[in-house]
């Protein structure tokens, strides 16, 4: 993990010694004139602004009193700009002050963004149903060499069903709560997602965003888990590396069908949702197979379902995963920082934004899940006006994906993440392969 900063220091690797505090040491660590970020490998290696440095030779550290120090990188606009370029971001937000509360941010939003509009809500349903029907028609008519395009469209369209169910779960679809539960359950059925288990799990994600133990979305790998066995290590490396864009399938299986994961007062509703899902599988799948055969089931359901999970995995990891975004223990967690600073806004091509109902305008959704999807852009514009310097923003690009898939792996308190190939280079050929083959375009 060595950085060539005059060859005097090596990056933190397991030690928890105090970092050098002299001004000279900080300048050496952070000055862009001393070390080019890409050339010294800091970005690719998961470099953070709070890395510890261990001297190779014994040195004497003299701490001066009342001497102004160079600003830490996250406090430096120029350094954040360099990080943004290296990570594939459009902007990396500066740290939110500790005295800002989530209520302060919510109160700054215009009241109209919280208003439910039934016409707009049902318009999203119409868009999803029409685009999904069009996708199925394209699959039925497309020659074999155009099927991947038809599957990509249909998988994206069915992702819109998930977003509709997502709004229902957050009580931001309709003023009628029974209607929300019915629509949410029906919207999730083609995805084989049980609505109530997902809702209960997802509510905890919002309450504990980027909290190490409590967040139910994807978080960094634990070091002891990574070291526990060679078989598990290999599975983790592949799962968080080349297969990461489909890891939501594993998450779906692990979190939504085990009654032991739910509170006693939740189990009844969970069982109802599971019964609905199993009924759909027992009736819907045989009907598809009866009409189109096993290959028809693969063409019309399974391949679009894989397309949906590609977006589910991609959207989720981009929303909260970056080398500079920390996961924290509960005692150090700050709600405003986690939701405003720890969430990423990412722009995708317009057709994806339309079919997926702006789910990637994600920062306002984490400020308040009660904001309907059709009001997210207005809410984001307000956040830009009032809190713009604190926002993490990107447009989807290969460099962004490459950073997440090759750097954001094992939790480390100082560095946020340590890449697999730094901890176990001999086992991390899938990661080095990704580094070699993935484009670096931003």
């Amino acid at each position: 993990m060595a950085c060539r900063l005059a060859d005097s220091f090596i990056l933190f690797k397991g030690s928890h010694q105090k970092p050098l505090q002299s001004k000279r040491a900080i300048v050496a660590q952070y000055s862009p004139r001393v070390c080019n970020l890409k050339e010294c490998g800091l970005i690719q290696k998961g470099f953070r602004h709070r890395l510890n440095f261990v001297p190779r030779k014994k040195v004497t550290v003299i701490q001066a009193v009342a001497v102004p120090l160079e600003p830490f990188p996250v406090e430096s606009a120029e350094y954040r700009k360099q990080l943004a370029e290296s990570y594939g971001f459009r902007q990396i937000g500066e740290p939110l002050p500790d005295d800002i509360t989530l209520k302060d941010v919510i109160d700054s939003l215009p009241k109209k963004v919280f208003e439910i509009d039934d016409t707009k809500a049902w318009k999203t349903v119409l868009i999803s149903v029409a685009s999904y029907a069009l996708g199925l028609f394209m699959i039925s008519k497309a020659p074999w060499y155009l099927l991947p395009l038809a599957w990509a469209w249909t998988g994206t369209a069915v992702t819109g069903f998930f977003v509709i169910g997502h709004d229902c779960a957050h009580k931001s679809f309709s003023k009628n709560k029974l209607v929300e539960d019915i629509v949410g359950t029906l919207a999730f059925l083609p995805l084989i997602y049980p609505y109530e288990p997902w809702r209960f799990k997802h509510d905890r994600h919002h309450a504990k965003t980027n909290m190490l133990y409590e967040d139910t979305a994807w978080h960094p790998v634990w070091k002891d888990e990574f070291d526990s066995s060679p078989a598990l290590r290999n599975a983790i490396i592949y799962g968080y590396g080349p297969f990461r864009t489909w890891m939501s399938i594993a998450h779906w299986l692990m979190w939504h069908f085990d009654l032991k994961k739910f509170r006693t007062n939740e189990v009844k509703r969970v069982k109802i949702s599971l019964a609905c899902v199993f009924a759909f599988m027992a009736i819907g799948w045989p009907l598809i197979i009866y009409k189109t055969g096993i290959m028809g089931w693969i063409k019309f359901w399974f391949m679009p379902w894989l397309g949906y999970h590609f977006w589910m995995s991609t959207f989720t990891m981009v929303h909260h995963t970056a080398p500079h975004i920390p996961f924290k223990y509960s005692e150090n967690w700050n709600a405003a920082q986690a939701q405003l600073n720890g969430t990423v806004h990412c722009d995708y091509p317009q057709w994806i934004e339309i079919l997926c109902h702006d789910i990637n305008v994600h920062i306002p959704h984490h400020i308040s899940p009660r904001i309907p999807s059709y009001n997210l852009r207005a809410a984001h514009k307000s956040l830009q006006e009032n809190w713009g310097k604190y926002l993490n923003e990107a447009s989807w690009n290969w460099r962004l994906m490459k950073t997440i898939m090759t750097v954001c792996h094992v939790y480390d308190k100082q560095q946020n993440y340590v890449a697999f190939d730094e901890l176990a280079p001999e086992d991390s050929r899938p990661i080095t392969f990704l580094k070699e083959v993935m484009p670096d375009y931003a």
Side-chain angles (χ1 to χ4, degrees):
M1 297 175 63
C3 173
R4 302 164 184 83
L5 298 177
D7 201 32
S8 298
F9 301 95
I10 59 173
L11 292 176
F12 171 91
K13 191 174 183 180
S15 170
H16 289 272
Q17 299 177 15
K18 290 179 112 179
L20 298 179
Q21 297 296 319
S22 70
K23 180 177 180 180
R24 177 173 298 185
I26 292 176
V27 172
Q29 292 173 30
Y30 302 129
S31 173
R33 294 185 298 274
V34 177
C35 177
N36 177 276
L37 291 172
K38 292 185 179 179
E39 292 177 355
C40 72
L42 298 183
I43 302 308
Q44 288 80 357
K45 297 293 185 182
F47 179 71
R48 308 294 180 278
H49 66 278
R50 286 193 290 271
L51 288 178
N52 288 350
F53 286 72
V54 181
R56 286 182 178 171
K57 298 180 181 180
K58 185 176 180 180
V59 296
T60 301
V61 178
I62 301 175
Q63 293 189 342
V65 178
V67 175
L69 301 179
E70 291 289 322
F72 274 59
V74 291
E75 297 169 355
S76 162
E78 180 60 31
Y79 197 88
R80 288 197 308 275
K81 184 178 179 180
Q82 292 183 24
L83 288 183
E85 169 66 20
S86 297
Y87 294 163
F89 277 71
R90 188 164 62 238
Q91 172 183 296
I92 286 179
E94 64 181 72
L96 188 70
D98 292 336
D99 60 345
I100 301 296
T101 68
L102 191 58
K103 185 177 184 301
D104 294 331
V105 183
I106 293 173
D107 288 346
S108 73
L109 293 169
K111 296 295 184 284
K112 64 181 181 180
V113 303
F114 298 94
E115 296 175 358
I116 291 175
D117 185 321
D118 287 338
T119 301
K120 291 181 179 178
W122 287 104
K123 180 181 176 182
T124 64
V125 175
L126 179 62
I127 290 172
S128 288
V129 170
S131 59
Y132 184 52
L134 176 61
L136 295 178
F137 176 77
M138 289 192 294
I139 292 173
S140 68
K141 299 298 183 181
W144 64 267
Y145 52 85
L146 291 180
L147 276 174
L149 295 178
W151 288 331
W153 173 274
T154 312
T156 307
V158 81
T159 305
F161 285 148
F162 170 81
V163 179
I164 292 167
H166 174 265
D167 267 17
C168 292
H170 284 301
K171 309 305 177 188
S172 60
F173 178 83
S174 171
K175 297 172 185 176
N176 186 313
K177 302 313 170 189
L178 178 60
V179 168
E180 285 187 320
D181 288 342
I182 293 172
V183 171
T185 298
L186 293 175
F188 273 22
L189 285 184
L191 309 170
I192 314 300
Y193 254 83
Y195 172 74
E196 294 290 358
W198 179 85
R199 181 172 72 86
F200 292 137
K201 186 272 301 180
H202 188 67
D203 282 347
R204 293 200 285 275
H205 163 60
H206 274 272
K208 311 290 185 181
T209 302
N210 286 22
M211 198 180 288
L212 269 169
Y213 284 103
E214 293 83 355
D215 193 348
T216 56
W218 293 109
H219 49 67
V221 176
W222 293 103
K223 180 68 162 57
D224 56 355
E225 181 183 36
F226 185 69
D227 292 336
S228 61
S229 75
L232 182 58
R233 172 181 291 186
N234 285 331
I236 290 172
I237 288 173
Y238 276 96
Y240 277 75
F243 297 150
R244 196 162 184 171
T245 50
W246 280 279
M247 274 294 282
S248 60
I249 297 175
H251 196 257
W252 162 73
L253 285 170
M254 290 167 54
W255 276 96
H256 302 93
F257 297 91
D258 185 356
L259 294 178
K260 296 177 182 177
K261 293 186 181 294
F262 302 95
R263 303 181 183 97
T264 303
N265 64 334
E266 297 172 341
V267 170
K268 182 179 179 180
R269 297 181 72 92
V270 168
K271 287 181 177 179
I272 293 172
S273 287
L274 292 178
C276 292
V277 165
F278 293 140
F280 178 85
M281 295 168 65
I283 299 172
W285 284 1
L287 282 176
I288 297 172
I289 294 171
Y290 175 75
K291 290 291 186 180
T292 64
I294 292 293
M295 288 306 298
W297 178 83
I298 294 173
K299 282 176 58 177
F300 288 97
W301 184 83
F302 183 70
M303 295 306 293
W305 185 76
L306 288 181
Y308 155 72
H309 273 287
F310 171 83
W311 289 125
M312 184 70 169
S313 301
T314 300
F315 292 167
T316 303
M317 68 180 178
V318 170
H319 286 162
H320 303 285
T321 310
H324 68 286
I325 295 178
F327 278 72
K328 295 184 178 182
Y329 290 97
S330 56
E331 59 268 24
N332 300 319
W333 185 80
N334 177 293
Q337 291 171 354
Q339 311 296 13
L340 192 71
N341 265 157
T343 306
V344 175
H345 169 89
C346 187
D347 293 315
Y348 288 78
Q350 189 65 27
W351 69 277
I352 296 174
E353 301 279 22
I354 293 172
L355 295 187
C356 297
H357 310 305
D358 290 332
I359 189 60
N360 294 293
V361 185
H362 209 63
I363 300 175
H365 174 65
H366 266 267
I367 297 303
S368 175
R370 301 303 293 269
I371 300 173
S373 60
Y374 46 80
N375 289 337
L376 289 174
R377 290 200 177 273
H380 186 73
K381 183 178 180 181
S382 174
L383 291 177
Q384 287 177 317
E385 292 170 354
N386 294 297
W387 308 93
K389 64 182 179 180
Y390 303 114
L391 305 183
N392 292 296
E393 297 186 321
S395 295
W396 189 92
N397 62 84
W398 284 108
R399 184 176 301 165
L400 177 69
M401 295 292 288
K402 188 173 184 177
T403 298
I404 294 172
M405 296 175 71
T406 64
V407 172
C408 300
H409 297 146
V410 179
Y411 172 72
D412 180 87
K413 186 175 182 179
Q414 276 70 36
Q415 299 177 239
N416 296 338
Y417 293 96
V418 177
F420 292 145
D421 57 340
E422 294 176 5
L423 295 175
E426 68 284 357
D427 295 328
S428 300
R429 286 185 292 275
I431 304 304
T432 56
F433 173 77
L434 289 179
K435 288 182 176 180
E436 292 171 359
V437 302
M438 285 188 73
D440 194 41
Y441 309 128

